[in-house]
Amino acid sequence: MDYFNSIFGNDVLKQTLCENIQAGSFSHAHIIEGPEGSGRFTLAKAICEALAEGKDGGKIARDVCPDVIYIKTPEGKSILPVDAIRSIREQVYLAPHELPFKVYIVLGADQMSEGAQNAFLKLLEEPPASVYFLLLCENRARLLPTVRSRASLLRMQVFSEEELTAYLQGKEEYVSACKEKPELLKQALRDSMGSIGGVIERLMKSDSPVGTCVDAVKALLTKLHGRDQGAYMLAGERISENREEMKRFMLCLAEAFRDIYCQKRGVDTSLLFFDSPSEAEEYSFVFSEDMLLKRWLFCLQSVEQAEYNLNVKTAKLHFLNGLWEPAY
């Protein structure tokens, strides 16, 4: 099938989808999981086009097909409310308008409230034969086990920095940006969480300050080994309150502690955060091995916890306080 050609990589996933759709064995509900920019939305539309076998007149691609319905979190809200799910329960059993089927695409499915998920569960338990559900999310662990058990998992591929670089170098529209902004490219690759959309978005933002995350991490490290908690908390204000950006900061800081720890222990390994061993060595004199190891692990744990904490500001404060406490 040519419907999946626009999706880079994910060869095994695409092959499986083609076989299932052609065999008529595509199940009624799927969870499409992947980080921001991983192509979840593109894949969902490609699935719809493949199911329609091109008989939609291009309406799916233009987002005007009446039988492909999008459900998303209301603007200004952080949670997909139960009312959004209840509204489609009244429509789901109605016949399709133009196609032999209907597809409900839930954007940010992991943002559904517990009530919304329970309401959605009833749809999954007794789905009409001509209806498909595609639940797009970053982390399926936020979904109730009962919801997860009734939907097949489609996990988007996470790419290495080498694979992302190769992709960019193969696209003329990005080659010049890669050459002109090497430092920004390096930071974009690090912050992308392995997604093509993520690295492109960061690379093409001409107003993006080079090394923002790197500078913020180094600023926090500098204040962390001092005894002025006020100055430390002020440095922490540079951490974004966007969930994904905050998680990237935590991962960068974890990489920094790992590099410093290896340098202090004399471990001969490649650096993940610092550009040179001398940079990591500067910080190795002010942190003990025990504190470096504790903070390294704490940063990794905080990334996971940030997935579940609905209040990003609270997650950020917990992170800053927890990172400070081991010092004294």
Side-chain angles (χ1 to χ4, degrees), residues 226-263:
R227 292 183 177 273
D228 187 344
Q229 189 173 7
Y232 162 76
M233 294 300 290
L234 287 173
E237 289 184 356
R238 297 179 62 176
I239 303 175
S240 172
E241 291 183 358
N242 172 279
R243 188 184 303 277
E244 290 306 313
E245 294 294 335
M246 183 172 68
K247 284 163 52 183
R248 291 187 188 97
F249 178 91
M250 293 172 176
L251 285 173
C252 282
L253 188 57
E255 292 177 351
F257 282 127
R258 175 263 190 198
D259 286 355
I260 300 169
Y261 178 81
C262 291
Q263 188 66 26

Side-chain angles (χ1 to χ4, degrees), residues 194-210:
S195 72
I196 290 176
V199 72
I200 290 176
E201 179 184 5
R202 288 160 181 79
L203 179 63
M204 301 309 292
K205 281 184 177 179
S206 59
D207 58 341
S208 295
V210 175

Side-chain angles (χ1 to χ4, degrees), residues 115-167:
Q117 291 191 52
N118 283 321
F120 198 81
L121 182 60
K122 295 180 181 179
L123 295 175
L124 296 179
E125 289 174 338
E126 300 178 2
S130 59
V131 173
Y132 298 99
F133 299 102
L134 301 178
L135 288 72
L136 281 55
C137 67
E138 294 181 17
N139 184 1
R140 70 185 187 282
R142 296 179 193 158
L143 296 172
L144 295 175
T146 47
V147 173
R148 298 199 301 267
S149 67
R150 286 170 172 78
S152 301
L153 175 64
L154 303 175
R155 181 179 294 167
M156 302 302 297
Q157 182 176 347
V158 175
F159 298 99
S160 67
E161 292 189 8
E162 291 74 18
E163 289 171 322
L164 290 173
T165 301
Y167 173 83

Side-chain angles (χ1 to χ4, degrees), residues 22-259:
Q22 288 177 337
S25 58
F26 187 73
S27 58
H28 76 280
H30 288 80
I31 295 171
I32 303 179
E33 181 186 50
E36 181 183 358
S38 61
R40 295 170 302 179
F41 183 71
T42 302
L43 180 66
K45 291 180 67 171
I47 289 173
C48 295
E49 292 174 333
L51 289 170
E53 299 179 334
K55 298 175 182 177
D56 64 299
K59 289 185 177 182
I60 294 174
R62 303 195 304 274
D63 296 329
V64 293
C65 179
D67 295 318
V68 177
I69 302 97
Y70 298 101
I71 306 165
K72 59 183 179 180
T73 302
E75 188 174 352
K77 303 291 184 180
S78 60
I79 296 176
L80 184 59
V82 65
D83 291 345
I85 305 304
R86 287 173 177 164
S87 65
I88 68 170
R89 286 173 58 185
E90 302 172 0
Q91 309 168 13
V92 73
Y93 294 98
L94 299 177
H97 294 276
E98 299 177 0
L99 299 175
F101 60 86
K102 291 195 294 187
V103 181
Y104 288 88
I105 300 177
V106 184
L107 307 173
D110 47 358
Q111 296 174 349
M112 282 193 288
S113 66
E114 184 173 344
Q117 291 191 52
N118 283 321
F120 198 81
L121 182 60
K122 295 180 181 179
L123 295 175
L124 296 179
E125 289 174 338
E126 300 178 2
S130 59
V131 173
Y132 298 99
F133 299 102
L134 301 178
L135 288 72
L136 281 55
C137 67
E138 294 181 17
N139 184 1
R140 70 185 187 282
R142 296 179 193 158
L143 296 172
L144 295 175
T146 47
V147 173
R148 298 199 301 267
S149 67
R150 286 170 172 78
S152 301
L153 175 64
L154 303 175
R155 181 179 294 167
M156 302 302 297
Q157 182 176 347
V158 175
F159 298 99
S160 67
E161 292 189 8
E162 291 74 18
E163 289 171 322
L164 290 173
T165 301
Y167 173 83
L168 293 171
Q169 292 175 343
K171 301 290 184 179
E172 293 184 6
E173 60 266 39
Y174 305 127
V175 171
S176 60
C178 292
K179 292 180 179 179
E180 296 170 5
K181 308 173 184 178
E183 290 301 318
L184 182 57
L185 172 61
K186 180 180 179 180
Q187 186 63 40
L189 290 168
R190 175 178 289 166
D191 290 351
S192 68
M193 302 291 285
S195 72
I196 290 176
V199 72
I200 290 176
E201 179 184 5
R202 288 160 181 79
L203 179 63
M204 301 309 292
K205 281 184 177 179
S206 59
D207 58 341
S208 295
V210 175
T212 298
C213 186
V214 173
D215 293 341
V217 166
K218 290 181 179 178
L220 198 69
L221 284 173
T222 301
K223 301 300 181 183
L224 191 57
H225 69 76
R227 292 183 177 273
D228 187 344
Q229 189 173 7
Y232 162 76
M233 294 300 290
L234 287 173
E237 289 184 356
R238 297 179 62 176
I239 303 175
S240 172
E241 291 183 358
N242 172 279
R243 188 184 303 277
E244 290 306 313
E245 294 294 335
M246 183 172 68
K247 284 163 52 183
R248 291 187 188 97
F249 178 91
M250 293 172 176
L251 285 173
C252 282
L253 188 57
E255 292 177 351
F257 282 127
R258 175 263 190 198
D259 286 355

